[in-house]
Amino acid sequence: MAFPRTPNSRRLALLFAGTDVAVLGLVLHFFVPGDVSSLIADALFTVLLYLLFALVLPAAGRIWVALAAFGVSAFIEIAQLTGVPAALAESFPAARLVFGTDFSALDLVAYAVGAAVACAADTALSQRALQWRATQTE
């Protein structure tokens, strides 16, 4: 029996991956102290954006999805220079998780790495799934 390739199977996989990435990022943020865990959590934020964009726009190319995820992450980081995210975090503390408060150029590097890793993993896993489906007989 062949496993049919449907957009729903990809979306379901993206949804599960997004849930896992969100949980891992929150665990790193709240329970693992240090700069390295903070950078990994930042990269996971961009991976989560990649997965959300890929979920909502399944026909979009992987490179464009990665660029969009990096672009949104970078925009939020650069917005921290204005002080608006910090003011938002004061009035609504949960906003700190999404918008942050302090600008760090190193975070931009983490976002780029997260977008690149997400794109590469998505491409590799998709190719592997295609190869597996090609070996299945009906």
Side-chain angles (χ1 to χ4, degrees), residues 1 14 41 90 104 106 127:
M1 178 170 93
L14 290 168
E90 283 182 26
S104 172
L106 199 53
Q127 288 175 350

Side-chain angles (χ1 to χ4, degrees), residues 45-47 49-51 53 64-74 111 115:
F45 174 75
T46 304
V47 171
L49 284 176
Y50 178 94
L51 294 169
F53 288 152
W64 290 109
V65 172
L67 288 172
F70 172 75
V72 170
S73 299
Y111 300 147

Side-chain angles (χ1 to χ4, degrees), residues 47-62:
V47 171
L48 180 59
L49 284 176
Y50 178 94
L51 294 169
L52 290 174
F53 288 152
L55 180 69
V56 174
L57 304 166
R62 290 178 179 88

